[in-house]
């Protein structure tokens, strides 16, 4: 999916900046509170994997396709499985959250707005800037890598155009 490709591109850029990244694959993640198909509950292997990653990380990048004007059900399911508290500890409190969305049509911000509300409600430090990739099928090359043109447009639109940003952007995009 294009949202997966955007996440992989983000991980590649973050790795170049020295950040250790891990990507959660929601395939096989059960619905929350569905005891008929998931009698294991929080002991389900995919739920345990998600909980381990939430506890391990210092920040998260959430990305969802926008479908019917909203984030997808699987994105919401992932968020719903993140515990709000473990004893007296909120596992998400104080963690940084970046949000992105991908759409097949025109520019929209519905999914990122929903994710922003959820992130703040979970007491995460949600970055005010967001990324919304419209017409995603036009923004990737044949290797499913975000094209240089898209990266350039995105960085030109950024509010912080200092020398460090331009230099760092050039280093990232040339590789």
């Amino acid at each position: 999916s294009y949202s997966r490709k955007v996440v992989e591109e983000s991980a590649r850029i973050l790795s170049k900046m020295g950040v250790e990244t891990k990507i959660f694959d929601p395939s096989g993640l059960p619905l929350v509170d569905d005891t008929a198909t998931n009698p294991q509950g929080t002991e389900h292997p995919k739920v345990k994997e998600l909980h381990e990653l939430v506890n391990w990380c210092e920040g998260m990048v959430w990305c969802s396709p926008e479908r019917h004007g909203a984030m997808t059900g699987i994105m919401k399911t992932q968020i719903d499985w993140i515990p709000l508290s473990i004893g007296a500890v909120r596992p998400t409190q104080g963690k940084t959250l970046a949000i992105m969305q991908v759409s097949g049509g025109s520019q929209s911000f519905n999914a990122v707005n929903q994710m922003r509300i959820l992130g703040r409600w979970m007491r995460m430090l949600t970055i005010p800037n967001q990324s919304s990739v419209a017409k995603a099928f036009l923004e990737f090359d044949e290797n499913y890598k975000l094209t240089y043109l898209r990266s350039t447009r995105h960085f030109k639109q950024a509010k912080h155009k200092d020398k460090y940003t331009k230099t760092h952007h050039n280093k990232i995009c040339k590789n």
Side-chain angles (χ1 to χ4, degrees):
S1 74
Y2 287 109
S3 58
R4 175 71 178 207
K5 298 303 177 191
V6 169
V7 168
E8 290 171 354
E9 184 71 6
S10 299
R12 184 184 72 79
I13 291 169
L14 289 168
S15 294
K16 288 200 174 272
M17 297 170 78
V19 176
E20 183 180 350
T21 61
K22 295 181 183 181
I23 299 173
F24 178 72
D25 180 359
S27 300
L29 184 68
L31 294 173
V32 177
D33 300 327
D34 185 5
T35 56
T37 60
N38 179 30
Q40 297 171 302
T42 58
E43 295 303 311
H44 187 281
K46 290 303 284 190
V47 175
K48 287 175 88 171
E49 178 188 353
L50 180 60
H51 287 187
E52 288 170 8
L53 287 172
V54 168
N55 289 328
W56 168 81
C57 74
E58 294 178 15
M60 297 180 214
V61 176
W62 292 353
C63 183
S64 176
E66 182 175 294
R67 244 184 230 138
H68 304 295
M71 78 174 108
T72 60
I74 191 64
M75 186 69 211
K76 182 67 165 74
T77 298
Q78 291 174 80
I79 295 167
D80 286 346
W81 272 117
I82 297 172
L84 295 176
S85 64
I86 300 173
V89 176
R90 284 185 177 262
T92 56
Q93 186 166 341
K95 293 187 181 201
T96 303
L97 175 63
I99 51 177
M100 302 181 296
Q101 77 173 49
V102 173
S103 61
S106 61
Q107 190 75 47
S108 172
F109 300 98
N110 295 336
V112 290
N113 288 338
Q114 292 170 333
M115 290 185 283
R116 177 179 294 104
I117 289 167
L118 290 167
R120 287 179 178 163
W121 193 83
M122 297 167 78
R123 298 187 180 172
M124 299 177 79
L125 302 172
T126 306
I127 298 170
N129 290 353
Q130 63 208 12
S131 180
S132 176
V133 181
K135 297 182 183 178
F137 59 94
L138 298 176
E139 303 297 350
F140 291 85
D141 64 18
E142 63 280 351
N143 298 316
Y144 291 101
K145 228 176 167 186
L146 200 57
T147 62
Y148 180 75
L149 180 60
R150 169 70 184 167
S151 298
T152 303
R153 265 198 323 261
H154 174 73
F155 279 93
K156 282 183 180 176
Q157 292 169 356
K159 293 179 183 175
H160 306 289
K161 291 187 175 183
D162 61 313
K163 187 175 181 180
Y164 173 78
T165 303
K166 290 178 186 173
T167 303
H168 189 67
H169 165 67
N170 289 337
K171 288 180 188 174
I172 291 170
C173 292
K174 286 182 181 174
N175 295 329

